[in-house]
């Protein structure tokens, strides 16, 4: 008979799943908030905003930024720097729309649920 996962195992799984959803949203949020930001600025701001709860290894962070740029086209480079760490990103029109709709349809209702838990 299979044993039930422990609370620690479930919490780790929950944290990983939350990170996969929230981290890209936080990247877009930081870029929107700042108008533009480099990969390093984005990572630093996310760490600061979440008090370190949402941080990831530089390679994983860079993959996330690249996915948002190349796969989903939510962000785009502002300048043509050859050094990736110096490239500043801004939201595309699609990124602005997705961010605004995410706030309206997901974040604001979630905020109401969280307030009710206080």
């Amino acid at each position: 008979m299979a044993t039930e996962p422990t609370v620690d195992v479930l919490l780790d799984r929950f944290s990983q799943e939350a990170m996969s959803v929230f981290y890209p949203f936080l990247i877009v949020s930081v870029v929107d908030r700042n108008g533009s930001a480099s990969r390093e600025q984005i990572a630093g701001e996310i760490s600061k905003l979440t008090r370190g709860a949402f941080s990831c290894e530089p390679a994983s962070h860079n993959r996330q930024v690249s996915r948002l740029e190349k796969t989903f086209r939510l962000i785009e480079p502002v300048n043509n720097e050859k050094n990736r760490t110096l490239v500043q990103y801004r939201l595309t029109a699609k990124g602005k729309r997705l961010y605004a709709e995410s706030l309206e349809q997901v974040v604001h209702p979630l905020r109401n649920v969280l307030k009710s838990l206080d």
Side-chain angles (χ1 to χ4, degrees), residues 9-20:
V9 168
L10 292 172
L11 184 58
D12 183 57
R13 187 178 304 160
F14 179 77
S15 295
Q16 288 176 12
E17 288 182 18
M19 179 77 147
S20 72

Side-chain angles (χ1 to χ4, degrees), residues 37-43 57-70 75-90:
S38 69
R39 291 170 185 247
E40 199 171 280
Q41 290 168 324
I42 295 166
E57 298 296 319
S60 179
H61 171 74
N62 288 333
R63 276 192 302 277
Q64 290 279 3
V65 171
S66 291
R67 278 183 67 220
L68 292 174
E69 176 191 2
K70 295 176 178 143
I75 60 174
E76 62 188 359
V78 175
N79 52 7
N80 291 327
E81 293 287 337
K82 298 221 187 281
N83 184 343
R84 277 193 326 181
T85 60
L86 299 177
V87 173
Q88 295 278 316
Y89 294 93
R90 67 177 169 217

